[in-house]
Amino acid sequence: MDKISTLIDWIKESKRIVFFGGAGVSTESGLKDFRSKDGLYNEQYDYPPEEILSHHFYVNNKEEFYRFYKDKLNTNDCKPNITHKVLAKLEKKKKLSSVITQNIDGFHQDAGSKNVIELHGTIKKNYCLKCHKLYDEKYIFNSKGIPKCTCGGDIKPYVVLYEEPLDEEVINDAIREISNCDLLIVGGTSLNVYPAASFINYYKGDKLVLINKDKTPLDYKCDLVINESLGKVFTEIEKKAL
Ligand code: ZN
């Protein structure tokens, strides 16, 4: 039997699926991954993306931080794709218990998913450092220069910047979900970025699936490795498992 058919059989017999997704989930929507070579690196900025999107850079150079942020992290006309949509359907059918994502674009919620654990935060929430008033992403992306609160305070995206720790509660949620799931599907991540690699160690079952176009250093830990695009695999899932 081919690998996608095996995955579809496993989905049919599972009740608590967890999907753990990386940048590859959103790049299939046309979003750029700023870690990839043809991603956000370009000549318009004097610093690499990892430095601009860091805590110290935000504190010391808000103007340049926001120039990059608004230019590169705006999801613009990109929309959720088939993978986001099928995951939302699996949740609605009570097959999937949660999506854990490293992405900050909010596409899973846009597609209808309710239980989404966002390890790196989200562009959709932004808060005033002074009075904690919340702002949506449109307010940020439509602002000129450094976005300001009505109280005059600076606004910070609810996004985990480089040098900042992940939220402990969010990590615990992710670990709990992975420990309790019967089928763990990892997709669109090469598993060499913290904390993806360490998280899969919490899975106790025997159905760990990795969907990634390229080989990863942790392929040997998986029960099933599918080297296909997520779009192709989830199109098949929609046809045969839903
Ligand atoms: Zn304020």
Side-chain angles (χ1 to χ4, degrees):
M1 190 164 26
D2 74 276
K3 290 176 169 186
I4 298 179
S5 301
T6 302
L7 172 58
I8 286 167
D9 282 350
W10 287 358
I11 289 172
K12 284 180 181 165
E13 61 200 41
S14 298
K15 293 189 179 80
R16 289 191 64 89
I17 302 168
V18 166
F19 179 83
F20 186 112
V25 178
S26 292
T27 50
E28 290 187 22
S29 278
L31 273 194
K32 297 268 196 286
D33 171 15
F34 62 80
R35 271 179 296 262
S36 68
K37 280 192 197 95
D38 55 349
L40 299 185
Y41 287 94
N42 70 53
E43 59 304 328
Q44 290 179 53
Y45 296 91
D46 296 337
Y47 307 88
E50 285 85 353
E51 179 153 12
I52 300 178
L53 295 174
S54 72
H55 182 81
H56 81 267
F57 200 92
Y58 170 80
V59 171
N60 297 316
N61 201 343
K62 283 195 187 67
E63 189 152 355
E64 188 68 355
F65 172 89
Y66 271 115
R67 187 165 80 90
F68 182 91
Y69 185 92
K70 288 190 262 186
D71 183 18
K72 301 298 181 190
L73 300 190
N74 194 342
T75 51
N76 286 316
D77 298 327
C78 295
K79 288 190 178 70
N81 60 50
I82 182 79
T83 302
H84 300 102
K85 288 175 193 164
V86 171
L87 288 168
K89 282 187 187 173
L90 287 167
E91 184 187 47
K92 209 170 263 174
K93 291 209 152 193
K94 311 259 186 252
K95 302 285 285 175
L96 180 138
S97 57
S98 64
V99 169
I100 302 168
T101 181
Q102 296 177 285
N103 300 330
I104 57 174
D105 47 57
F107 282 174
H108 287 293
Q109 291 91 332
D110 288 348
S113 285
K114 301 280 182 245
N115 194 13
V116 183
I117 299 170
E118 295 172 305
L119 294 173
H120 296 157
T122 173
I123 60 168
K124 290 189 181 279
K125 272 192 254 167
N126 304 274
Y127 65 100
C128 171
L129 290 172
K130 224 171 169 184
C131 74
H132 302 110
K133 187 174 172 185
L134 288 173
Y135 291 89
D136 66 10
E137 80 272 27
K138 284 199 189 83
Y139 186 86
I140 304 301
F141 290 121
N142 292 334
S143 66
K144 290 223 164 71
I146 304 168
K148 292 276 183 190
C149 177
T150 47
C151 83
D154 284 324
I155 298 173
K156 191 169 185 284
Y158 190 76
V159 167
V160 180
L161 301 178
Y162 289 93
E163 301 161 354
E164 290 178 343
L166 301 187
D167 186 314
E168 235 171 89
E169 215 173 294
V170 173
I171 293 179
N172 290 337
D173 285 349
I175 290 174
R176 196 192 56 240
E177 286 294 326
I178 290 173
S179 314
N180 292 331
C181 74
D182 49 11
L183 167 60
L184 177 59
I185 306 173
V186 180
T189 169
S190 52
L191 283 178
N192 52 19
V193 181
Y194 174 85
S198 60
F199 275 10
I200 62 168
N201 295 326
Y202 291 95
Y203 176 62
K204 299 184 197 118
D206 56 2
K207 296 187 186 91
L208 172 50
V209 181
L210 177 66
I211 307 167
N212 204 54
K213 277 187 199 155
D214 307 308
K215 290 196 185 319
T216 83
L218 294 180
D219 283 6
Y220 74 95
K221 284 197 173 184
C222 303
D223 301 299
L224 183 65
V225 177
I226 303 176
N227 293 128
E228 293 279 3
S229 74
L230 285 162
K232 180 177 175 190
V233 176
F234 276 84
T235 301
E236 288 295 305
I237 294 172
E238 185 175 42
K239 267 192 235 158
K240 293 174 184 157
L242 282 166

